[in-house]
Amino acid sequence: MSTTAGAIALVCRFDAQEWAEWLPALTAALPGETLVRAEDDHDPAAVEIAIVANPPAGALRRYPRLRLVQSLWAGVDKLLADPTIPTDLPIVRMVDPAMNAAMAETALWAVLTLHRGFHVYARQQRDSRWQPHAQRSADAVHVGVLGQGQMGGEVSRQLRTLGYRVTGWRRGEPLGPVLADSEILVNLLPLTPDTRGLLDTARLRQLPRGAALVNLARGAQVVDADLLAALDDGHLSHAVLDVFHQEPLPADHRYWSHPAVTVLPHVAAQTDARSAARVVAQNLAAWRRGEALAHQVDRRAGY
Ligand code: GLV
């Protein structure tokens, strides 16, 4: 296939089902653009924009005239860790209201589950055990939300609507008081050098005894051995984990069978093809007009 100058390469780790969703959505949202899948035959020198979804390191090296990278993922930690991507190449992360809404759904489900003990009732059902537990009202439950950006902000707002006592934490603020107060801690921070390994023994043990952790951000922000130790000795009552150091989570990992862990396969907020394709189209149109890019990654901040 030959391509004209200014082509857009789709460098996406998609399976057939995902391509069946994404290709029509992007094609419809970007009329008049030349879209090529990285795995299809094309002239790399004609590619000016890459739309990427979790690409393997080094995947963009073949495009000598690349001028813009648009991520379909909200988290860009892997792109920033790829030493083959020039540091002056603009990268735009996905900010999509549909994704924020999906993240809020997952966070609300997790907080409601942990607060009302629905995970405990699921365990009891397996043992045919009829055992009601005391019910607390949401306005007595303290929830900490790490990260107050697009997703953390939306999650905090929706939790407050349900009546929870929410404390949001932003980079640069003291973390200790938030941890000490959080019966349920929801992590929505971007993975950066500052947040890697953030949730270690020292910080997990600042949570009140019996607290629960909900990690919907990145696995590398949690020190697994420290979390498991805190769950094993009962300092923490439960963890809902959507993200892991290694994904898929290896079959022999203790999280799978731990009674105090709920494992999700990185599905807290999947990118919605139709809505995200419109976001991409708006971003690319703005870029072609020479306007400033919304949600361009700040390499110094790390997201
Ligand atoms: C998913 O984790 C994303 O970053 O979009």
Side-chain angles (χ1 to χ4, degrees):
M1 179 179 176
S2 77
T3 50
T4 52
I8 301 176
L10 308 177
V11 190
C12 304
R13 269 204 247 193
F14 284 158
D15 59 22
Q17 193 192 327
E18 288 169 307
W19 276 122
E21 250 183 89
W22 279 99
L23 205 50
L26 287 168
T27 307
L30 297 165
E33 299 277 4
T34 306
L35 298 180
V36 289
R37 300 192 324 160
E39 48 271 70
D40 293 341
D41 187 25
H42 65 286
D43 172 14
V47 169
E48 154 174 84
I49 298 170
I51 296 178
V52 306
N54 199 22
L60 300 183
R61 210 170 14 192
R62 60 194 284 218
Y63 299 115
R65 303 222 169 87
L66 201 54
R67 294 176 56 211
L68 179 67
V69 177
Q70 165 73 60
S71 173
L72 298 180
W73 279 41
V76 289
D77 40 285
K78 280 212 192 127
L79 290 173
L80 297 191
D82 181 346
T84 70
I85 298 182
T87 51
D88 58 353
L89 183 61
I91 299 175
V92 178
R93 66 198 167 92
M94 177 52 59
V95 173
D96 175 8
M99 222 175 157
N100 298 342
M103 186 58 92
E105 288 167 1
T106 305
L108 260 54
W109 161 81
V111 170
L112 284 164
T113 297
L114 294 163
H115 153 217
R116 294 291 307 279
F118 297 128
H119 58 309
V120 176
Y121 294 124
R123 262 199 310 262
Q124 289 181 193
Q125 183 177 352
R126 285 197 285 277
D127 304 331
S128 310
R129 194 163 149 238
W130 183 280
Q131 169 78 66
H133 299 283
Q135 178 183 309
R136 294 169 70 206
S137 89
D139 64 10
V141 178
H142 291 255
V143 182
V145 179
L146 303 184
Q148 289 293 290
Q150 296 290 327
M151 289 179 173
E154 181 62 18
V155 164
S156 300
R157 267 190 299 281
Q158 295 210 25
L159 286 170
R160 285 193 186 102
T161 303
L162 289 184
Y164 289 104
R165 293 188 179 222
V166 179
T167 308
W169 181 78
R170 295 188 163 72
R171 192 162 61 104
E173 293 174 353
L175 181 55
V178 179
L179 295 177
D181 202 37
S182 296
E183 296 163 74
I184 301 173
L185 185 71
V186 182
N187 179 32
L188 285 164
L189 289 166
L191 178 62
T192 68
D194 288 342
T195 68
R196 185 174 292 276
L198 182 79
L199 297 171
D200 59 1
T201 289
R203 299 215 174 75
L204 293 171
R205 303 265 165 189
Q206 285 180 65
L207 292 165
R209 193 169 177 79
L213 172 68
V214 180
N215 189 15
L216 307 179
R218 285 292 183 262
Q221 292 162 331
V222 172
V223 179
D224 289 337
D226 295 2
L227 175 59
L228 283 163
L231 291 165
D232 286 341
D233 69 19
H235 184 77
L236 295 185
S237 59
H238 202 85
V240 175
L241 306 175
D242 182 53
V243 286
F244 304 91
H245 277 92
Q246 192 185 331
E247 296 179 5
L249 182 64
D252 60 353
H253 200 285
R254 274 194 70 207
Y255 284 149
W256 280 117
S257 55
H258 200 292
V261 176
T262 301
V263 170
L264 297 174
H266 201 142
V267 290
Q270 292 167 293
T271 317
D272 178 274
R274 291 220 343 242
S275 157
R278 283 196 294 271
V279 172
V280 170
Q282 280 162 13
N283 288 348
L284 298 196
W287 182 74
R288 292 223 191 271
R289 288 194 300 267
E291 292 168 14
L293 288 162
H295 310 300
Q296 180 173 344
V297 171
D298 174 353
R299 276 194 175 259
R300 268 169 321 163
Y303 64 96

